[in-house]
Amino acid sequence: MKYQQFLADLAYKAGQLALRMQQDITDDDVSTKETARDIVTIADKATEKLIRQALAERYPDYRFYGEETGKSDDNGSPYCWIVDPIDGTASYREGQLFWCTSIGLWKDGTPLAGAVYAPALDELYYAELGEGATVNGKPIHVKSHGKLETSVVSTGFACLRAGWTIGNNVPYFEQIGLHCRGVRRFGSAAMDLCYVACGKSDAFWELNLQPYDLAAGAAILLEAGGIVTDLRNGNDFPKQGILASNGPALHQELLEFFPNYSRPAGR
Ligand code: IPD
Ligand code: CA
Ligand code: CA
């Protein structure tokens, strides 16, 4: 595979840096974004700096889009690295397990490769277009557990952190929760996608993600045989929400909870 050795190794190095820094993080090392509920630590920034420098040296002609340092100049390249240095920062800050480093490579706006490394779980997910998906070098594939009523799904509430009092995820959480075996809120969208990819959950949906939350995880899920759409069964994700699943039957069941979905005005 063209990118695997370098990309998987870089995700590992970045994740190990974040893991080493985790125990020494103090409140002075944490700052807030739009609100006090949305934080960024010095580890997020250091990890993205490591990743961005390594990618710029190895692939100087590729574009870059990172959560913490933004977008490189548009040089017209079809290739773009889309990076979330720590996905699940709130979990990371609390010393929890579900956080990861996520490095996606997209070409002409579609997934080409992805690496997601969860250091606390010792799980490194990798995929490259047409080459399949793996975790720690072992092939992974989505796994169906039947209809929604016998499926475990996951979601997130970025919309609540963003203050969506109207059109947020709570009603969908309730309705889907009433019709499935279980709903999980892992705290990392990239891991949500990887868990569907390896068959540890059956579907994932969310309303207010950013491209860097899903760029790598979507590449991994697609190579693992999964489906990724927006909440209208289109390709306008994450703007019109995201729905990821282990196959068309469950995907259709879940889409029925989002009839005529449209992102709330002004959001
Ligand atoms: C967050 C996680 C979370 C999702 C939020 C994201 P961050 O990423 O992916 O699961 O619900 O929307 O912002 O902020 O920790 O990088
Ligand atoms: Ca994120
Ligand atoms: Ca992040």
Side-chain angles (χ1 to χ4, degrees):
M1 297 190 210
K2 182 176 179 181
Y3 300 96
Q4 182 173 23
Q5 188 58 50
F6 177 81
L7 187 47
D9 185 54
L10 179 56
Y12 179 80
K13 282 177 182 168
Q16 284 295 311
L17 171 63
L19 186 65
R20 286 196 303 274
M21 294 180 73
Q22 187 176 27
Q23 61 190 0
D24 299 325
I25 297 278
T26 69
D27 288 344
D28 291 340
D29 301 321
V30 181
S31 50
T32 60
K33 294 185 171 181
E34 287 76 20
T35 72
R37 291 173 291 158
D38 192 2
I39 60 170
V40 59
T41 75
I42 57 170
D44 295 82
K45 295 174 181 176
T47 306
E48 182 159 324
K49 181 180 177 184
L50 181 155
I51 294 168
R52 187 162 189 165
Q53 283 178 336
L55 292 174
E57 286 168 16
R58 179 71 179 261
Y59 301 96
D61 299 332
Y62 287 26
R63 290 181 290 121
F64 181 91
Y65 175 24
E67 178 175 6
E68 309 309 343
T69 61
K71 296 181 179 179
S72 61
D73 293 338
D74 185 356
N75 62 5
S77 170
Y79 295 95
C80 188
W81 297 104
I82 307 174
V83 173
D84 192 337
I86 298 177
D87 186 49
T89 296
S91 301
Y92 172 82
R93 177 71 184 102
E94 297 293 325
Q96 295 176 5
L97 304 179
F98 274 85
W99 57 274
C100 60
T101 292
S102 174
I103 307 174
L105 175 60
W106 285 35
K107 181 183 179 186
D108 293 323
T110 60
L112 180 58
V116 171
Y117 176 50
L121 302 173
D122 191 25
E123 294 177 350
L124 201 164
Y125 296 86
Y126 186 82
E128 214 164 302
L129 185 63
E131 303 282 352
T134 57
V135 63
N136 297 346
K138 297 184 176 61
I140 57 174
H141 198 272
V142 295
K143 182 165 56 179
S144 171
H145 295 90
K147 297 172 69 70
L148 179 59
E149 65 181 357
T150 52
S151 293
V152 175
V153 297
S154 70
T155 189
F157 295 97
C159 55
L160 297 183
R161 191 172 68 184
W164 293 18
T165 51
I166 297 171
N168 64 42
N169 194 20
V170 174
Y172 301 116
F173 176 78
E174 178 187 27
Q175 286 308 312
I176 293 169
L178 286 169
H179 294 87
C180 70
R181 176 165 287 171
V183 188
R184 300 289 181 270
R185 201 294 187 245
F186 291 120
S188 163
M191 289 300 296
D192 287 309
L193 290 162
C194 288
Y195 262 38
V196 178
C198 68
K200 288 182 178 176
S201 70
D202 298 293
F204 162 66
W205 86 94
E206 195 157 347
L207 269 56
N208 185 38
L209 292 181
Q210 300 300 322
Y212 39 74
D213 296 315
L214 63 91
I220 293 162
L221 177 59
L222 290 169
E223 280 300 311
I227 300 174
V228 182
T229 69
D230 60 30
L231 296 172
R232 313 186 309 187
N233 204 25
N235 291 321
D236 194 10
F237 59 87
K239 181 183 174 188
Q240 293 298 340
I242 186 171
L243 175 62
S245 73
N246 60 22
L250 183 59
H251 213 85
Q252 186 52 48
E253 275 197 275
L254 285 163
L255 283 169
E256 290 167 13
F257 288 89
F258 302 93
N260 307 309
Y261 180 81
S262 185
R263 186 181 184 89
R267 293 296 183 184

